[in-house]
Amino acid sequence: MSSLLPEFEYDIFISYRHKDNKSDGWVTEFVRTLRSELEATFKEDISIYFDENPHDGLLQHHEVDDSLREKLRCLVFIPIVSQTYCDPKAFAWQHELLAFIKLASEDKLGLKTKVGGGNTASRVLPVRIHDVDARDKKLFEDATGGVMRPIDFIYKESGVNRPLRANEENPGKNQNQIFYRNQVNKMANAIKDIISGLQGKEFAYGPEVSPEKEVNATVHREKRQRKDWKFHVPSLSEASGLRIGLIISLLAFLALAIFHFSQPTPDLQTYRATIPPPPKTSYSTTFGGHLALSPDGRHMAFVASDSAGKDLLWVRPLNAIAGQALNGTEGASFPFWSPDNRFIGFFADGKLKKIEASGGPPQVICDASQGRGGTWNDNGIILFCPNGFPSPLFTVAAAGGLPVALTRLDTSRSQLSHRWPCFLPDGRHFLYSGLINPGTKGEEDAIFLASLDTSFTPRLVVNSSSSAGYANGHVLFAHEQTLMALPFDPKRLQTTGEAFPVAEQIHFELFTNRTSFSVSQNGNLVYQTGTDKEELRLLWYDRSGKRIGTIRQSSVYVNHRISPDGKRIAISQADARDTDVWLYEIAREVWTRFTFDPSIDRWPIWSPDGATIVFASQRKSNNLYERTASGAGREEVLLETNQNKFPSDWSRDGKFLAYHSSDPKSVSDIWILPMNQKAERKPFIFLQTEFNEQRAVFSPDGRWIAYQSNESGRPEVYIRPFPGPGGKWQVSTKGGTHPRWRSDGKELFYLGLDRKIMAAEIRLGSSSVDVGSAIALFQTSAFTGGGRDAYNVTGDGQRFLVSSQASEGVSSPVTLVVNWVGEIKK
């Protein structure tokens, strides 16, 4: 984000000593609060440069590079003056304060400016967080050439001299008797006075801007056009000629006005354009695409992948020919904007994060292990889905904090997920997708209307498995790859007409139920076309990450398991009919259909001897079925209950089957089904908490179970004794999913949140587990959405089967429709 005035990089530069922010983050909190106050004080965006970790560990004589010099080209310089800031040897003093004074003294605005009442103010506006002694004060005043008039944030009592904190509003013991929020307000008003004075100075004395520079400036921000007005007082001999010229001009203007207003007012036209991805990248369409128009419709945020499969968040002004990649956003997904168009929220690394659209370091808001959409209102509340399923919607402050569950899954509808929320203009009511079983086009799936007021009963808006958006009096959603618009009154909170088509062949991802489109309030629409199924490839790798084979056929692979003898793979995949289980013979590359029912069949699991396969099917809810691997005979119901069930492993002795069951009351629990005689097949709970536990796998000796849980706020891999009781041992340390044992039990593999295959050495004792350090084997571009199996490994731990995108480096362009509502009457 550029400065309010041309030729300047930022409006504000904040400088401080590293230790003043290191322990309690005082400066970070101050900047966050000041930003909010400035938004209320100014009618224009104010850009701030603030480095959360400024030059930590650099030498005192470190040279200032060109990047820092550019950032110092700002309107107001704010030093956070502590007991250690006024030090001629300090980096902040030498290369920021003194460097700014030199730059400001030489630029067109100068170091000082006139403010209201005729006073003079320095562009150096100090904040004081400690008392400084007379020597330091004199040093500061000598450097700035004026009296030190700071705005104080000092907590002071007998023997105490420290920064005042935001949560200490008018503390009784503080001898200064100051309010933190009042000091912030003083700061914002002082900044406004200085910038207003500088704008006036630029108005009167600034050089003319060439047309080329004006065009370039509007790419970044629309600025109020300023002119260098010059007044000429005519002489007496010129006056008569002036009168004649004035009369002629008025007559010409009158004729032009009559002609203009006699013409019919033209309708706004609808325009379409294609937006290609940035060079050497492709738009990421995983999980249904990652497009987000800013509320004002001037910028598009999106995720693009390079040739190495690295995903980054990008921002592109719609009136520019290029976009900007935002550093620090690797692995980003599902971006959404703040209502003031300043920040972008997104999901990455098991977290909900935000970043300024102009760039800068991302900030973590809260944990979100597998985010499925977010929306942001004017009151700084973010509504989001933190997990794939099962999950209701949560709220969290945009400044950060603990998420709070807002919606409740409707157990009478067997809902598993509330996702893809979208605030309506009032910032209180919102739309969301309520799904029965993500990954299907269920007739019971619907888009609902709800409110932050939990006494409001959710209302069904339209039956659809799609994500939804709202703009210009319409709810937009997908139906069979057709983007539809449903007239909707946001004040009466009800539909006002029938849905009609807007675009055809829109990209829709079946296993996340997301449609690749975004709308803004100014009538802009962007969308991608494509298939409604995400085709994948199954690739073989060795432990070093070298690709050693490929299953040639690309398909919509969902779950896959290697047989105990390593010769076949049971794979669930979607086709034109539905999702079925197939068997693939590795040596001969032969495919054989294993299930034929029109319902969705997934999660195949081999028996230890390879003679039987258990799978989950949506016939009569999501029950468990079994069938001989040879295909002889019919499927038989193995377990039928009212809960959804997802099998994950069969113990080596053949006695137990592990599965996780989705229960809205306790999220996802691990169950065990005895596999002895049919009369004894009564399932029992292995692990039930308020967290999400799943993908349990038995150790080869059958005495331990590895599984993943989000009890820490993100998914991690743990080991517990089976059947219990006992404690647990954490295997992953930076997030992990999809645990798999080596056949001798001495190694446990899992997938890191950065999609690296990890391996941890394991020593299983009689009553304890010794977990060695986990090492990264190789990086993958594993596809993990919709409950898919990201990878599998052979029993000896030497070969890995990884699911990856089939169309690497290829994606359909984005279509931009300007004034899409203009075609409604037509």
Side-chain angles (χ1 to χ4, degrees), residues 424-492:
L424 294 179
D426 65 3
R428 297 290 300 171
H429 296 88
F430 56 90
L431 304 169
Y432 69 88
S433 297
L435 305 180
I436 304 302
N437 190 6
T440 70
K441 296 179 181 178
E443 295 181 357
E444 298 297 321
D445 294 342
I447 295 168
F448 290 88
L449 170 71
S451 173
L452 295 179
D453 179 1
T454 55
S455 64
F456 183 95
T457 303
R459 305 175 188 172
L460 189 149
V461 177
V462 62
N463 283 105
S464 172
S465 299
S466 165
S467 53
Y470 172 84
N472 307 105
H474 293 81
V475 173
L476 283 85
F477 63 97
H479 176 70
E480 298 293 341
Q481 285 194 266
T482 297
L483 184 63
M484 307 292 291
L486 176 66
F488 184 85
D489 186 334
K491 293 183 179 179
R492 292 188 295 162

Side-chain angles (χ1 to χ4, degrees), residues 712-733:
S712 68
R714 65 182 178 190
E716 300 280 7
V717 172
Y718 301 87
I719 297 176
R720 284 180 180 267
F722 176 76
K728 65 177 183 292
W729 288 262
Q730 184 172 333
V731 179
S732 60
T733 57

Side-chain angles (χ1 to χ4, degrees), residues 610-622:
T612 305
I613 293 177
V614 167
F615 60 94
S617 178
Q618 286 194 312
R619 314 165 208 180
K620 298 182 181 179
S621 186
N622 204 45

